[in-house]
Amino acid sequence: MAISSTVIRFIQNELNERGHAAGDVDGRLGADSEGALRRALRPRRAELPDDWEAWPRTKLLTGYVQLRCRDEGVNPGTIDGLWGSQTDYAVNVIRERLQNDLVAPNFRDNEELDPSRPHPWPHQRQSEVEAFFGAVGKHQTMLELPYRHRLAWDRNVELTRFSCHEKVHDSLSRILTRVLDHYGPERIVELRLDLFGGCLNVRKKKGGSTYSMHAWGVAVDYDPGNNRFEWDWRQAGFARPEYDAWWAAWEDEGWTSLGRARNYDWMHIQAPHL
Ligand SMILES: [Zn+2]
């Protein structure tokens, strides 16, 4: 599996942003890139195999990519400087996360989505989100929850409501009411559908200049402990069949699960589409 010039440009840009002077962002691994990679890797030699200084440029680049993926919580496999499918997948996940320009491989074909599914929401492009929802952190309202939630990171804290954008309020209320009707209170706790991981959070994407969908209060995270950012459908709890009705409730309202659409970040559900 070859390393694409897109990935090389992504890393050259990263190296430049971190002050390692990689020179032109041209997608070619030249002497400037090599020097930058060596400068970036040297302080991290303890995380690398002993022979790393003898590596050719492609291995240096791969080793750096693997470390950066691990920094971002996306498992790149062994840090060995060898480009394989796991490293390739991981770097695409972090590119999507850091740059918001390209996406990880499709998990689910669009054809699988019900064509009659309503799409009342804008595209997740910042300009469209802003045009539809306004400025980040504004137009918030309290959603009274049909069933009690608990904070995922401190389950002793119970929530009866949370803040969301006023334009998604009614939709969220309908979704959670349907979830309650379908599963009932006990099954909701068993399936951890009450573990709230956050909605409104005005922040930019890590390392990027664009805002997270959470900045408008139009994305919700559930059960992050069982649906970690880097996990795919084989690990993520929400990928299991007992959650089919959960997803139907969201998708019938036009919401998008990153897990179901892109096979990562299964905790995350957003109104704007991809
Ligand atoms: Zn999220």
Side-chain angles (χ1 to χ4, degrees):
M1 184 173 288
I3 308 173
S4 72
S5 62
T6 308
V7 166
I8 296 172
R9 281 196 301 273
F10 167 60
I11 295 301
Q12 287 172 324
N13 190 47
E14 270 248 316
L15 290 164
N16 282 337
E17 280 181 355
R18 287 159 184 263
H20 297 303
D24 291 341
V25 176
D26 58 5
R28 296 188 344 198
L29 271 183
D32 288 349
S33 295
E34 177 175 349
L37 286 164
R38 292 191 182 280
R39 283 189 288 280
L41 288 173
R42 209 163 286 135
R44 304 192 66 171
R45 54 164 54 103
E47 299 167 82
L48 294 161
D50 290 341
D51 67 344
W52 78 272
E53 280 183 293
W55 283 358
R57 286 169 189 170
T58 50
K59 282 189 89 172
L60 292 171
L61 174 84
T62 304
Y64 179 75
V65 165
Q66 291 170 332
L67 287 174
R68 288 291 297 117
C69 290
R70 200 164 69 180
D71 295 344
E72 295 293 328
V74 184
N75 182 7
T78 313
I79 311 291
D80 56 7
L82 299 175
W83 197 270
S85 57
Q86 187 153 8
T87 302
D88 195 69
Y89 177 77
V91 74
N92 281 311
V93 171
I94 72 163
R95 276 179 57 229
E96 150 71 6
R97 185 179 185 182
L98 297 174
Q99 288 191 327
N100 195 33
D101 65 348
L102 279 170
V103 294
N106 264 324
F107 168 61
R108 205 178 128 125
D109 293 330
N110 285 333
E111 285 74 11
E112 282 183 60
L113 298 172
D114 179 357
S116 65
R117 190 170 85 107
H119 289 277
W121 312 117
H123 187 273
Q124 68 168 0
R125 213 170 283 120
Q126 307 277 293
S127 54
E128 292 191 30
V129 173
E130 217 162 64
F132 189 87
F133 292 111
V136 295
K138 304 291 186 196
H139 312 291
Q140 300 294 303
T141 186
M142 276 295 174
L143 172 71
E144 299 294 330
L145 296 166
Y147 60 88
R148 192 163 43 196
H149 285 30
R150 293 175 292 160
L151 279 187
W153 54 89
D154 183 359
R155 297 190 198 170
N156 296 319
V157 180
E158 298 189 335
L159 303 175
T160 57
R161 51 193 206 152
F162 64 73
S163 178
C164 67
H165 196 282
E166 57 194 22
K167 283 192 175 173
V168 302
H169 172 276
D170 292 359
S171 178
L172 271 177
S173 181
R174 284 192 297 271
I175 290 164
L176 295 176
T177 301
R178 184 169 154 188
V179 167
L180 176 62
D181 290 346
H182 180 86
Y183 289 104
E186 282 175 30
R187 192 84 177 120
I188 280 175
V189 172
E190 263 174 41
L191 291 178
R192 310 156 69 92
L193 298 175
D194 60 334
L195 293 186
F196 178 68
C199 179
L200 176 68
N201 182 4
V202 181
R203 61 174 171 81
K204 295 207 168 153
K205 293 187 177 180
K206 260 195 190 173
S209 57
T210 57
Y211 283 101
S212 152
M213 293 300 113
H214 289 285
W216 285 272
V218 300
V220 196
D221 293 335
Y222 278 96
D223 194 10
N226 279 298
N227 297 280
R228 302 214 184 136
F229 184 87
E230 70 272 23
W231 286 3
D232 66 17
W233 61 274
R234 289 167 296 191
Q235 298 159 289
F238 281 156
R240 296 201 303 262
E242 54 265 41
Y243 294 98
D244 284 354
W246 163 258
W247 291 124
W250 290 96
E251 291 172 359
D252 286 351
E253 289 277 338
W255 290 61
T256 297
S257 151
L258 276 186
R260 289 184 38 107
R262 299 284 192 242
N263 199 21
Y264 69 91
D265 203 4
W266 281 83
M267 74 182 85
H268 179 96
I269 314 156
Q270 64 181 49
H273 60 88
L274 302 177

